[in-house]
Amino acid sequence: AQKITQTQPGMFVQEKEAVTLDCTYDTSDPSYGLFWYKQPSSGEMIFLIYQGSYDQQNATEGRYSLNFQKARKSANLVISASQLGDSAMYFCAMRDLRDDKIIFGKGTRLHILP
Amino acid sequence: DGGITQSPKYLFRKEGQNVTLSCEQNLNHDAMYWYRQDPGQGLRLIYYSQIVNDFQKGDIAEGYSVSREKKESFPLTVTSAQKNPTAFYLCASLGQGSYEQYFGPGTRLTVT
């Protein structure tokens, strides 16, 4: 069965520092996708970044990068030069490419300190 | 503008009543999803549908039912069998060949 694990319920980081949010996953399928979403206190879900299981290079989108280590089944999100507006809940998710089932982890609440 | 609408934003019901949450999308997406969000639990998948007239149970389908009679619509019924229905419910859709799920604004259901 598929599973997503986020082991950091909360994190406090000083503004302008880089931050790494951990995500490990478990699946027996060779074809899958990994996502990160941001959820501010407003409740909306904001797509950040995607990595396919066959992608050779780590995905990057602006200040966001996904550190994909396939053998270790990890897909950590790295935010460079954190900003106050980065304070939010962050969710890691995995998609089964056979049937489009998408599951999420429990999330990490990130607090950026001024 | 294309997007997903969920209505209402807040919903209050008495225990023992069934309630249906609306989800409509005009993105022409094939796949649609329902998630439940509780504090500390993340998003948990209730049901999902890849195509009209077909849907699959997610990880916490007990006490819920869905239908997919139209591509644009994927209503979720919270039945009286759901033991703890008070939660924030999010609907999402996914386009063919796309990798970004689009989410609605959510419905906060309170059952007393």
Side-chain angles (χ1 to χ4, degrees):
Chain A
Q2 293 177 314
K3 189 176 179 182
I4 290 276
T5 302
Q6 294 181 253
T7 57
Q8 307 152 308
M11 284 186 72
F12 290 83
V13 173
Q14 209 67 40
E15 189 181 8
K16 298 180 185 171
E17 288 184 354
V19 56
T20 297
L21 304 181
D22 295 340
C23 174
T24 57
Y25 61 92
D26 192 18
T27 180
S28 55
D29 300 320
S31 300
Y32 52 89
L34 297 157
F35 309 76
W36 278 90
Y37 280 83
K38 173 183 178 181
Q39 187 183 45
S41 55
S42 59
E44 65 181 306
M45 293 289 286
I46 302 170
F47 169 79
L48 295 177
I49 198 165
Y50 172 84
Q51 177 89 39
S53 60
Y54 293 115
D55 293 342
Q56 296 295 317
Q57 301 213 343
N58 287 344
T60 60
E61 289 286 348
R63 294 187 300 115
Y64 304 106
S65 60
L66 198 153
N67 185 1
F68 181 45
Q69 299 191 34
K70 195 169 183 177
R72 298 176 68 178
K73 293 190 174 178
S74 77
N76 298 341
L77 177 71
V78 180
I79 306 174
S80 63
S82 58
Q83 302 170 356
L84 295 177
D86 294 334
S87 293
M89 196 76 173
Y90 288 81
F91 292 103
C92 180
M94 178 168 62
R95 173 186 177 186
D96 183 335
L97 295 179
R98 295 174 306 168
D99 65 0
D100 289 331
K101 181 179 182 181
I102 301 176
I103 61 169
F104 283 74
K106 293 188 176 183
T108 296
R109 184 166 295 281
L110 177 63
H111 303 269
I112 305 298
L113 305 171
Chain B
D1 277 78
I4 300 180
T5 56
Q6 291 185 244
S7 59
K9 190 171 182 178
Y10 298 96
L11 192 52
F12 297 88
R13 279 293 183 273
K14 293 288 187 186
E15 196 174 315
Q17 293 179 336
N18 290 357
V19 59
T20 297
L21 280 59
S22 166
C23 177
E24 303 279 331
Q25 55 102 356
N26 60 4
L27 300 164
N28 200 34
H29 285 176
D30 289 311
M32 296 187 74
Y33 305 78
W34 274 106
Y35 295 93
R36 169 183 172 140
Q37 185 175 11
D38 299 279
Q41 294 294 323
L43 275 67
R44 291 184 289 171
L45 181 63
I46 304 172
Y47 270 97
Y48 64 108
S49 167
Q50 285 181 285
I51 199 167
V52 174
N53 293 323
D54 190 34
F55 47 83
Q56 290 77 39
K57 292 182 179 179
D59 298 327
I60 57 163
E62 187 175 345
Y64 299 96
S65 66
V66 292
S67 63
R68 187 86 189 275
E69 296 176 4
K70 298 186 300 181
K71 190 175 186 177
E72 309 80 41
S73 178
F74 192 40
L76 173 74
T77 297
V78 184
T79 75
S80 56
Q82 168 50 231
K83 295 281 187 280
N84 188 15
T86 294
F88 186 54
Y89 291 87
L90 282 162
C91 178
S93 71
L94 181 71
Q96 183 79 13
S98 174
Y99 49 77
E100 179 182 347
Q101 264 184 321
Y102 286 77
F103 282 83
T107 292
R108 191 167 296 279
L109 173 65
T110 302
V111 177
T112 57

